[in-house]
Amino acid sequence: MSEQNTTQTPELQKHSFQAEVAQLLHLVTHSLYSNPEIFLRELISNASDACDKLRFEGINHPEYYENDPDLHVRIILDKDQKTLTISDNGIGLSQQEAIDNLGTIAKSGTKDFMSKLTGDQKSDAQLIGQFGVGFYSGFIVADKITVESRRAGLDAVEGVRWISGGTGDFEVEQINKVSRGTDIILHLRDDALDYLESYKVKQIVNKYSDHISLPIQIQKEVWQEEEVAEGEEPKGGQYVKTDEWETINSASALWTRNKNEISDEQYIEFYKNLSHDFEPPLAWSHNRVEGNTEYTQLLYIPSKAPHDLFTREAKAGIKLYVKRVFIMDDADNLMPNYLRFVQGVVDSADLPLNVSRELLQESRDVKIIREGNTRRILTLLDGLAKSEDQADQEKFKKFYAEFGSVLKEGLGEDFGNRERILKLLRFATSTHDEVNTSLTDYKARMKEGQKAIYYVTADSLNAAKNSPQLEVFRKKGIEVLLMADRVDEWAMNFVNEFDGTPMQSIAKGAVDLGDLQDAEEKKALEQAAEAFKPVVEKLSDSLKDKTKEVRVTTRLVDSPACLVTSEGELSPQLIRMLKQAGQPVPESKPILEINPEHPLVKKLEASGQFDDLANVIFDQAVIAEGGLPDDPAAYVKRINSLLLK
Ligand code: ADP
Ligand code: MG
């Protein structure tokens, strides 16, 4: 089938690469020799993406298949021309797409990589080996790349040829291309001619691309004996190519295969391809779920948090397939937000192929899948946490350090699983520095007569550990959980109890130590409250703009005063956090509790500077919490005046 190129435009257009591309190319060609074979993985992955896109667009445009429905990737080795060609019959590129997509960097992973570059060749070279560098990796082995492509649905004459030597620019011209899809023709460097050996190509495909769901094919070769004259010994022979194509990968989507046929290496390699992560995942869960809603899930927990985990740009990590047809990346309805770090694939048997994001939001099947995914991940984590195996425990630790604070968001988001999430949480405590005490551990260590799980939140672990509210608990040897994640304050709002035991912030409400406090202590408090009544009244008056109430407390040992919040009100920290985030905050004043045993408090009346001292005590309580006095200059002035006395 050959057509004449009558409308071919003669002129070549020259284009410059985007600056970042030029920089990347320089690196690729100058420093990436440690692991050159990854170029094949990258280019096959692109070919596979292109076929996925055709399948997807083909749902509404069956004509895009152009009567050629069998999608494949072919690798053509030409020893005479010294070229290796990766050819696909996927969606192809229009001229404009070739200019846009092969001249700029769109991929976030690559951008991420670029931002980490130091400019130092040696360390950059190490880095680049760890990231996927996409299309440009072709220049590791080629000194020139020709791309010939035609987009599905366009006329044959609207093909495009893109040529570059991998330096500053590339050329584009219009060509005639009968077959739909893309040929990436690598003109191999002399030191890369190994890649023309089919055994080598097979090896690499097996290693990196076996899970690709398309057939990856090379030309079948047959052994041909050299001809010898009658009666002579055979001299040997060589492999020659035939017209037949041989599929060299398993060509079935990894998740559709049986668990026991998949090796750990294959799971890991699949993950790396999926996530563009260069580190192996911590753990994974692969299941076929049957019932009213049928789907397959293959979910991975990464070993490192992505840098954008806490930004709005953070993307969901689940790819959605419907009956093996790729539908979309970042399907955010398939995982709750607090598990957004999970990467993986969901393949549904029930959703319609033309499902849209809007439709996903409403689908009952999607809701069931999301719940199933959530359960799987929580179970997987629980298994790691409970495991007797040292390696699993290490994994859980690693997980918690990376993702623990995201998991906590689930307390406010997923009421149904709150107890399961609580079980997975780990804390530092006033008696155990390491962040490894679970609520179950804490309960097991509770004192005789202790009726609540006590915790304190602060801006840092250190601040939590030294918070004045903790003093009496220290004195009595009662353990208190220390919480310093940004999310803690907010998350704990949703938690009233764990496993039947109330959870009590020691900075909220009055401290009720219940049976932990003996009658004598209670009596002493009552007496002090009585004796300090006039002082408390005067203080309330001095500080009426700043506090809601002043009262005497026994929770303090070394500090003169502390702030507490009424039960059910926002704490000063949470208010600070909300204000920082620019959110409207309801006005609420804290309660000031004073320590009648403290010399500064005892001195108040006789000081002759009651008002100054009162304000200083209040501001210091704010500072002890990690806050700033409302009027720092006034605070300094008061302190100085007191110092000079
Ligand atoms: P990524 O695959 O992450 O998008 P790449 O650098 O690998 O980044 O590829 C850049 C872009 O070039 C792709 O997004 C795609 O638009 C285009 N592209 C590359 N290879 C092909 C191909 N074989 N068929 C169609 N488009 C392709
Ligand atoms: Mg790619």
Side-chain angles (χ1 to χ4, degrees):
M1 195 166 65
S2 113
E3 288 173 44
Q4 280 301 301
N5 304 348
T6 42
T7 57
Q8 184 173 333
T9 46
E11 78 261 32
L12 278 176
Q13 298 174 15
K14 247 193 183 348
H15 295 265
S16 301
F17 283 117
Q18 184 193 29
E20 286 93 335
V21 176
Q23 193 192 350
L24 178 66
L25 280 168
H26 181 84
L27 258 164
V28 165
T29 47
H30 287 81
S31 19
L32 192 56
Y33 26 71
S34 57
N35 198 13
E37 63 194 27
I38 57 140
F39 82 91
L40 203 54
R41 168 186 73 190
E42 295 292 329
L43 298 180
I44 289 175
S45 142
N46 285 350
S48 158
D49 289 349
C51 291
D52 275 349
K53 280 182 204 154
L54 177 66
R55 280 203 198 108
F56 183 61
E57 291 194 20
I59 296 168
N60 291 324
H61 295 278
E63 72 277 11
Y64 283 3
Y65 279 105
E66 303 175 4
N67 299 320
D68 172 21
D70 295 325
L71 302 178
H72 54 240
V73 181
R74 287 181 172 167
I75 301 172
I76 300 140
L77 308 173
D78 186 333
K79 284 188 175 158
D80 297 333
Q81 300 293 325
K82 298 185 186 169
T83 58
L84 183 156
T85 300
I86 293 129
S87 169
D88 68 65
N89 57 354
I91 192 74
L93 291 158
S94 68
Q95 283 190 54
Q96 194 55 46
E97 284 169 333
I99 293 168
D100 292 344
N101 300 343
L102 304 179
T104 53
I105 295 180
K107 184 164 105 189
S108 61
T110 311
K111 275 205 183 134
D112 198 30
F113 161 71
M114 298 297 290
S115 71
K116 293 207 168 111
L117 292 180
T118 58
D120 167 37
Q121 286 252 332
K122 221 172 137 205
S123 61
D124 287 352
Q126 247 179 1
L127 204 59
I128 202 172
Q130 298 171 334
F131 277 82
V133 285
F135 170 74
Y136 306 103
S137 64
F139 286 106
I140 305 168
V141 295
D143 47 22
K144 180 172 127 185
I145 298 182
T146 307
V147 178
E148 293 181 355
S149 188
R150 177 174 63 77
R151 202 180 201 286
L154 292 184
D155 285 341
V157 293
E158 296 202 64
V160 57
R161 179 180 290 129
W162 177 105
I163 302 178
S164 177
T167 46
D169 46 30
F170 59 90
E171 289 168 359
V172 171
E173 64 181 318
Q174 189 169 338
I175 59 163
N176 193 63
K177 188 170 183 297
V178 175
S179 57
R180 167 198 76 224
T182 307
D183 298 342
I184 310 278
I185 305 157
L186 306 176
H187 305 266
L188 296 179
R189 294 170 196 282
D190 283 338
D191 59 7
L193 297 179
D194 266 11
Y195 297 106
L196 294 175
E197 301 298 338
S198 54
Y199 81 89
K200 177 113 187 172
V201 169
K202 282 182 191 171
Q203 222 173 41
I204 302 173
V205 167
N206 192 284
K207 182 163 166 197
Y208 294 112
S209 309
D210 193 52
H211 65 271
I212 296 278
S213 57
L214 295 165
I216 300 170
Q217 304 176 323
I218 59 175
Q219 261 169 302
K220 204 167 194 162
E221 292 177 343
V222 291
W223 183 254
Q224 199 172 61
E225 291 282 342
E226 210 166 290
E227 277 186 39
V228 287
E230 277 252 1
E232 271 183 58
E233 285 290 302
K235 283 187 199 156
Q238 60 177 351
Y239 279 107
V240 292
K241 296 203 162 64
T242 66
D243 291 342
E244 261 182 89
W245 292 93
E246 169 188 13
T247 298
I248 58 174
N249 63 331
S250 311
S252 67
L254 183 93
W255 63 89
T256 63
R257 309 209 319 244
N258 274 332
K259 278 196 218 187
N260 51 17
E261 288 166 12
I262 308 173
S263 67
D264 284 0
E265 288 71 31
Q266 286 171 322
Y267 273 122
I268 292 170
E269 199 49 49
F270 181 74
Y271 166 78
K272 287 183 175 174
N273 269 275
L274 184 81
S275 62
H276 294 294
D277 189 355
F278 53 81
E279 281 194 41
L282 274 185
W284 58 84
S285 179
H286 180 196
N287 315 282
R288 191 161 319 175
V289 183
E290 277 155 14
N292 284 339
T293 301
E294 277 181 33
Y295 61 97
T296 300
Q297 62 190 173
L298 172 52
L299 307 172
Y300 291 92
I301 297 175
S303 49
K304 267 208 132 35
H307 63 95
D308 63 357
L309 190 60
F310 289 101
T311 67
R312 267 176 232 276
E313 287 84 63
K315 287 217 174 102
I318 308 293
K319 276 189 203 294
L320 174 65
Y321 286 75
V322 171
K323 300 181 194 81
R324 282 167 226 187
V325 176
F326 170 75
I327 304 294
M328 68 178 78
D329 278 315
D330 328 318
D332 46 7
N333 293 301
L334 297 177
M335 266 294 171
N337 200 39
Y338 70 99
L339 298 178
R340 59 186 174 276
F341 52 85
V342 175
Q343 300 269 339
V345 170
V346 165
D347 191 343
S348 157
D350 309 306
L351 291 169
L353 280 171
N354 57 0
V355 68
S356 64
R357 279 188 196 268
E358 291 69 39
L359 217 88
L360 280 183
Q361 249 161 32
E362 283 149 28
S363 157
R364 203 185 65 92
D365 287 319
V366 167
K367 192 163 166 276
I368 292 172
I369 296 175
R370 180 173 58 232
E371 281 164 7
N373 285 346
T374 307
R375 253 196 321 276
R376 276 295 167 197
I377 291 298
L378 294 179
T379 306
L380 183 61
L381 290 172
D382 197 45
L384 290 180
K386 281 208 197 108
S387 168
E388 304 276 308
D389 185 349
Q390 189 71 26
D392 283 347
Q393 285 171 21
E394 279 306 312
K395 282 181 187 170
F396 184 78
K397 247 193 201 152
K398 217 167 158 184
F399 157 79
Y400 200 78
E402 292 291 322
F403 302 109
S405 54
V406 193
L407 187 67
K408 286 179 192 163
E409 293 174 15
L411 296 175
E413 240 177 68
D414 186 355
F415 299 154
N417 285 305
R418 193 181 293 156
E419 195 81 6
R420 304 187 68 176
I421 297 169
L422 280 173
K423 274 201 184 114
L424 293 171
L425 301 187
R426 297 291 181 270
F427 301 96
T429 78
S430 52
T431 54
H432 291 71
D433 276 341
E434 231 188 303
V435 183
N436 62 4
T437 297
S438 70
L439 293 175
T440 315
D441 297 340
Y442 179 97
K443 276 191 73 167
R445 296 201 292 256
M446 273 176 26
K447 282 208 126 178
E448 182 85 27
Q450 184 178 345
K451 297 219 167 63
I453 297 170
Y454 294 108
Y455 67 90
V456 59
T457 55
D459 292 348
S460 70
L461 273 184
N462 218 15
K465 205 169 159 181
N466 294 311
S467 63
Q469 287 95 339
L470 209 83
E471 290 168 3
V472 70
F473 291 88
R474 269 246 160 74
K475 191 170 137 198
K476 295 196 166 292
I478 302 169
E479 190 172 14
V480 174
L481 299 173
L482 308 178
M483 303 190 185
D485 270 340
R486 278 179 73 93
V487 64
D488 284 332
E489 256 300 321
W490 173 84
M492 291 313 290
N493 270 325
F494 299 96
V495 182
N496 298 320
E497 56 151 54
F498 169 72
D499 190 21
T501 308
M503 295 204 57
Q504 166 79 48
S505 161
I506 63 168
K508 276 207 167 151
V511 254
D512 178 13
L513 292 179
D515 299 347
L516 295 168
Q517 211 165 25
D518 50 45
E520 217 163 292
E521 282 171 314
K522 280 182 188 155
K523 207 167 143 214
L525 176 63
E526 275 162 30
Q527 279 170 359
E530 194 54 38
F532 268 77
K533 218 170 179 175
V535 178
V536 165
E537 265 164 28
K538 248 175 121 179
L539 272 173
S540 303
D541 199 43
S542 281
L543 299 171
K544 64 175 179 296
D545 294 339
K546 296 180 170 174
T547 64
K548 191 158 111 180
E549 187 191 338
V550 179
R551 66 189 181 209
V552 171
T553 185
T554 50
R555 75 171 96 209
L556 299 172
V557 178
D558 302 318
S559 304
C562 70
L563 300 178
V564 291
T565 313
S566 316
E567 205 66 65
E569 268 191 14
L570 301 184
S571 75
Q573 269 148 267
L574 193 54
I575 291 174
R576 267 203 304 285
M577 220 168 86
L578 291 171
K579 278 188 179 157
Q580 270 168 17
Q583 301 214 26
V585 189
E587 271 312 316
S588 77
K589 290 186 225 161
I591 297 164
L592 182 74
E593 291 193 346
I594 55 165
N595 174 5
E597 299 296 325
H598 197 277
L600 213 52
V601 175
K602 284 184 170 162
K603 200 180 150 189
L604 258 168
E605 280 229 276
S607 69
Q609 279 181 298
F610 192 95
D611 209 51
D612 280 344
L613 206 49
N615 276 286
V616 165
I617 287 176
F618 179 87
D619 284 348
Q620 283 182 344
V622 173
I623 293 171
E625 286 224 322
L628 261 188
D630 262 350
D631 185 350
Y635 170 75
V636 171
K637 226 166 139 185
R638 285 198 180 103
I639 287 276
N640 288 345
S641 123
L642 288 166
L643 285 173
L644 288 171
K645 271 270 147 146

